[in-house]
Amino acid sequence: MTVKEQEEVVKPTNFIHQQIDKDLEEGKNEGRVHTRFPPEPNGYLHIGHAKSICLNFGTAEKYNGLYNLRFDDTNPSKEETEYVDSIKEDVRWLGFDWGDREYFASDYFGKLYEFALKLIREGKAYVDDQPAEVISEQKGTPTRPGTESPFRNRTAEENLELFLAMKNGDFKDGEKVLRAKIDMASPNMHMRDPIIYRIMHTPHHRTGTEWCIYPMYDFAHGQSDYWEGITHSICTLEFEVHRPLYDWFVEQLKDTDYRPRQIEFARLNLSYTVMSKRKLLELVKDNHVNGWDDPRMPTISGLRRRGYTPDSIRNFAERIGVTKTDGMIDVALLEHSVREDLNKSAQRVMGVLNPLKVVITNYPEGQSEELEAVNNPEDESMGKRMVPFSRELYIERDDFMENPPRKFFRLGVGREVRLRYAYFVTCNEVVKDENGEIIELRCTYDPASKGGKSPDGRKVKGTLHWVSAPHAVKSEVRLYDRLFSDENPQAHKDVDFKEFMNPDSLQSLTDCYIEPFVKTANALDHFQFERLGYFNVDPDTNGDTIVFNRTVSLKDSWSKAKKK
RNA sequence: UGACCCAUGGUGUAAUUGGCAACACGUCUGAUUUUGGUUCAGAAGAGUCCAGGUUCGAGCCCUGGUGGGUCAACCA
């Protein structure tokens, strides 16, 4: 291993690990590191969550600690079991195993209720009878302090009685709330007597109709962390202003030196996409895409269906780093991560997307043969396979030009190229239909060049992929482009992000021919179609047609050169 | 007329905690190549938002600006 390689192996550190190092040095929490990933089951996980999962769980792994999966299910009106299941599947697929440490905030509804009772008894919480608008009005603004509720100084007895009535269902939704009594003049809006319990006569996906009062996020999160023994509660930047409140509740709760600590990092922004559950839900609900797992979606399930691998996503998460700087990651980095992974592992195969028929005029009619091809030049252990060759072939339309420009290495009339793993062929004639459209090429092959070798040492500039027409498997191939044409579609104040949707984000080719090797492929299997890109088998595949998704194209220096 | 946070090549991160800015992606050369892929060799590109200060020495510390983000849901 070279010096350079050794440097690269060193896992990058970040400010969170540095803070944990410090906590450990100071002997906090008996040297334990315990993290959690706390999704709300109200949507599917996306690549931004993947960053958070890798950070939270990866951190615990790094420090030989533990990590929990905890569903933040305190709002029954938005949460569903479908989402719980998809989240578990996605986290598992990414390669993390949380063992039996699977929790729900709803597991703590009882303890949370008891804790609220304690706050009331200590005069630190009160029932407010005012409607939402009035409470909101009294909150003030960031630059103006709030005013106190007329119900703020009820006696503990009265509050206890009212809260019990709330719990017993004596009131309608919104009629009363329980508030923490902190400081209406605090410069931090979240400290101005935040609402901690609201009335919702809505069945919960786990507790059913047991409760009609539900705790707010702020009243559940830190406490859940505390009860689970979380040491480092890593979340995104928008919760930074909640931290004093998080600490305030933990302070009321703690009875030892242990205390969980919230640390915030910048969420992931990816160019040419949107990354909020609300917006992704909108795309799904309004049928702008075909579901949460549409291969154009930045969801984990979409990326999986598109052909991304867990490794590629984890490497990506590692590469982008962790900071508090709000930035925008170039999708090119994500694409680089899959190419890097798939280049090492993907089975090579030849497939023609836009077929052009080629007849080898000096190859006997009715004859065919099998030629040996390498399965993966990056991994010899993947072995070889046989590819059928015959008189009638398909090549890529792009690989032939009647009037080739300079530096075009492919086929033209009178030119010789190599058909990969097969023979050298020379094009002699172009056949056109009545519209002048090229419909066939007539070529001759050199039998001495079998395997693609030139016995006389003569060179050809181009090597083309091809497929034997009678043997090929006709398939559908779906090509994807970015979902949005704007780098940051949600950043425009006066324009809805959907205005920037790319109308050509999905192109479906139904006249594609792939070598017979793919016949036995299973859903989600990865391939490299030589010279084209990485593709995987879409679950839409049925007995009749194999459907492929293009995960990402190969790097293409020819298309760049062409533009000049 | 607030609180909290952020600011390093095009992009994302790093800099042994004060010692003259490194890595990755991207871009551009060239070599190799039965994938115009991979690999390899190399190049361009920032003097660290600005202004002061402390110091022999500042991207790191201090002060003041500027720019950006977050917070006023009975959402999380």
Side-chain angles (χ1 to χ4, degrees):
Chain A
M1 194 184 277
T2 65
V3 174
K4 194 178 169 186
E5 280 168 338
Q6 278 175 349
E7 281 167 1
E8 280 167 2
V9 167
V10 175
K11 285 229 174 174
T13 182
N14 59 56
F15 78 101
I16 292 177
H17 293 340
Q18 287 167 3
Q19 288 184 26
I20 292 175
D21 288 338
K22 208 170 155 217
D23 288 346
L24 257 22
E25 273 168 35
E26 292 169 5
K28 288 186 180 164
N29 308 319
E30 298 121 15
R32 292 167 41 238
V33 173
H34 198 153
T35 62
R36 103 270 92 111
F37 173 64
E40 183 189 11
N42 68 342
Y44 280 60
L45 259 27
H46 54 61
I47 181 81
H49 294 109
K51 175 185 181 183
S52 178
I53 293 164
C54 292
L55 210 212
N56 274 293
F57 290 1
T59 295
E61 281 177 346
K62 170 175 172 165
Y63 289 93
N64 293 313
L66 298 171
Y67 53 84
N68 296 359
L69 176 63
R70 182 174 70 231
F71 292 92
D72 230 330
D73 56 349
T74 55
N75 184 356
S77 68
K78 290 185 176 176
E79 296 145 8
E80 296 170 27
T81 304
E82 176 201 348
Y83 296 129
V84 172
D85 295 339
S86 78
I87 288 168
K88 288 201 274 191
E89 182 187 358
D90 289 347
V91 177
R92 223 178 272 126
W93 178 76
L94 278 174
F96 293 101
D97 179 5
W98 57 95
D100 60 353
R101 294 177 308 283
E102 178 175 308
Y103 303 99
F104 292 80
S106 51
D107 294 338
Y108 309 123
F109 282 172
K111 290 169 96 167
L112 254 7
Y113 175 75
E114 292 299 324
F115 180 48
L117 254 22
K118 169 180 144 82
L119 291 183
I120 293 171
R121 276 187 232 106
E122 293 172 357
K124 291 170 181 167
Y126 63 95
V127 172
D128 198 330
D129 298 359
Q130 304 178 107
E133 311 78 62
V134 178
I135 290 177
S136 164
E137 185 66 27
Q138 289 169 351
K139 275 238 157 137
T141 70
T143 54
R144 207 182 54 242
T147 51
E148 296 185 351
S149 163
F151 301 96
R152 197 171 197 259
N153 295 311
R154 293 216 244 231
T155 62
E157 291 68 36
E158 195 181 351
N159 281 317
L160 244 19
E161 201 174 301
L162 285 167
F163 188 49
L164 184 64
M166 278 171 67
K167 183 198 170 223
N168 289 341
D170 295 350
F171 303 113
K172 292 203 267 304
D173 286 9
E175 232 177 287
K176 291 195 169 18
V177 289
L178 184 70
R179 295 228 254 165
K181 191 171 177 179
I182 305 178
D183 177 9
M184 288 305 290
S186 169
N188 183 330
M189 297 291 290
H190 297 278
M191 299 300 271
R192 321 240 264 226
D193 289 9
I195 291 166
I196 59 180
Y197 261 100
R198 74 293 214 183
I199 299 168
M200 285 178 102
H201 292 270
T202 307
H204 185 278
H205 72 111
R206 296 192 85 236
T207 61
T209 53
E210 189 184 346
W211 297 88
C212 64
I213 55 170
Y214 293 95
M216 299 290 290
Y217 163 84
D218 284 308
F219 194 68
H221 202 93
Q223 288 90 313
S224 303
D225 284 345
Y226 182 83
W227 287 319
E228 288 176 22
I230 301 301
T231 57
H232 300 272
S233 186
I234 302 168
C235 63
T236 44
L237 244 29
E238 65 269 26
F239 293 101
E240 205 155 24
V241 280
H242 293 241
R243 194 180 341 130
L245 184 55
Y246 178 104
D247 290 338
W248 192 87
F249 287 128
V250 169
E251 200 57 39
Q252 310 305 313
L253 202 55
K254 72 172 204 164
D255 49 10
T256 66
D257 282 343
Y258 154 70
R259 63 190 338 291
R261 171 184 181 181
Q262 179 180 303
I263 305 175
E264 312 85 10
F265 70 97
R267 62 159 4 114
L268 169 67
N269 295 304
L270 247 198
S271 61
Y272 299 101
T273 189
V274 293
M275 201 76 82
S276 86
K277 273 198 254 182
R278 205 209 91 231
K279 292 193 176 68
L280 295 175
L281 178 65
E282 198 177 331
L283 293 177
V284 173
K285 286 253 151 82
D286 298 345
N287 294 312
H288 292 104
V289 296
N290 304 313
W292 285 100
D293 69 343
D294 186 301
R296 294 167 292 181
M297 291 281 273
T299 49
I300 311 265
S301 51
L303 291 165
R304 174 169 59 233
R305 186 166 175 183
R306 173 80 169 256
Y308 276 74
T309 57
D311 271 0
S312 68
I313 292 173
R314 291 177 68 153
N315 287 337
F316 171 75
E318 191 100 303
R319 244 184 281 255
I320 59 179
V322 181
T323 61
K324 301 187 73 158
T325 322
D326 222 336
M328 167 89 77
I329 308 277
D330 193 338
V331 265
L333 188 58
L334 219 209
E335 293 176 345
H336 171 261
S337 297
V338 235
R339 286 197 188 100
E340 179 187 59
D341 189 29
L342 260 15
N343 175 51
K344 286 183 294 190
S345 62
Q347 163 76 44
R348 267 62 170 180
V349 106
M350 291 195 283
V352 173
L353 268 35
N354 295 298
L356 173 59
K357 194 176 191 183
V358 170
V359 177
I360 309 294
T361 53
N362 59 339
Y363 195 87
E365 266 179 81
Q367 185 177 312
S368 70
E369 63 186 304
E370 301 244 294
L371 300 161
E372 193 178 68
V374 173
N375 285 333
N376 184 350
E378 307 295 318
D379 182 358
E380 214 173 302
S381 74
M382 286 178 71
K384 297 180 174 169
R385 69 184 186 285
M386 302 308 283
V387 184
F389 183 88
S390 68
R391 182 179 154 95
E392 290 198 3
L393 315 171
Y394 290 119
I395 64 165
E396 210 67 60
R397 234 161 225 289
D398 283 356
D399 284 340
F400 175 83
M401 282 187 97
E402 268 193 297
N403 302 299
R406 269 170 57 78
K407 291 201 175 172
F408 183 80
F409 302 153
R410 286 112 98 146
L411 204 53
V413 182
R415 287 177 169 233
E416 184 174 48
V417 297
R418 169 167 40 234
L419 294 182
R420 177 146 232 229
Y421 298 127
Y423 296 98
F424 282 18
V425 296
T426 305
C427 177
N428 308 303
E429 193 188 339
V430 180
V431 181
K432 297 181 182 176
D433 64 10
E434 58 274 17
N435 302 317
E437 183 114 354
I438 300 172
I439 53 168
E440 184 181 309
L441 261 29
R442 301 188 76 82
C443 303
T444 48
Y445 83 116
D446 174 4
S449 63
K450 181 167 179 175
K453 300 176 187 70
S454 61
D456 57 359
R458 96 180 170 273
K459 301 263 192 225
V460 287
K461 283 289 253 185
T463 300
L464 310 187
H465 60 276
W466 53 274
V467 108
S468 166
H471 300 91
V473 181
K474 191 171 178 184
S475 304
E476 175 181 344
V477 176
R478 295 173 186 166
L479 306 181
Y480 302 100
D481 196 358
R482 44 182 63 133
L483 235 199
F484 295 91
S485 52
D486 188 88
E487 192 177 41
N488 193 1
Q490 61 196 341
H492 303 267
K493 285 194 173 63
D494 308 316
V495 194
D496 185 76
F497 73 101
K498 294 192 294 307
E499 296 294 311
F500 298 101
M501 289 197 76
N502 174 8
D504 303 315
S505 60
L506 168 61
Q507 191 189 350
S508 189
L509 306 176
T510 51
D511 194 33
C512 308
Y513 295 89
I514 320 295
E515 67 167 270
F517 185 86
V518 297
K519 268 182 188 159
T520 55
N522 297 309
L524 301 181
D525 279 356
H526 303 276
F527 294 96
Q528 184 197 96
F529 291 2
E530 297 220 22
R531 303 210 304 135
L532 295 177
Y534 297 99
F535 296 76
N536 79 339
V537 179
D538 191 89
D540 277 353
T541 294
N542 57 45
D544 302 328
T545 355
I546 305 183
V547 179
F548 289 96
N549 295 310
R550 184 173 67 191
T551 308
V552 67
S553 66
L554 249 30
K555 281 215 268 177
D556 184 359
S557 50
W558 166 239
S559 72
K560 277 182 203 162
K562 221 168 29 173
K563 282 176 191 155
K564 290 180 186 171

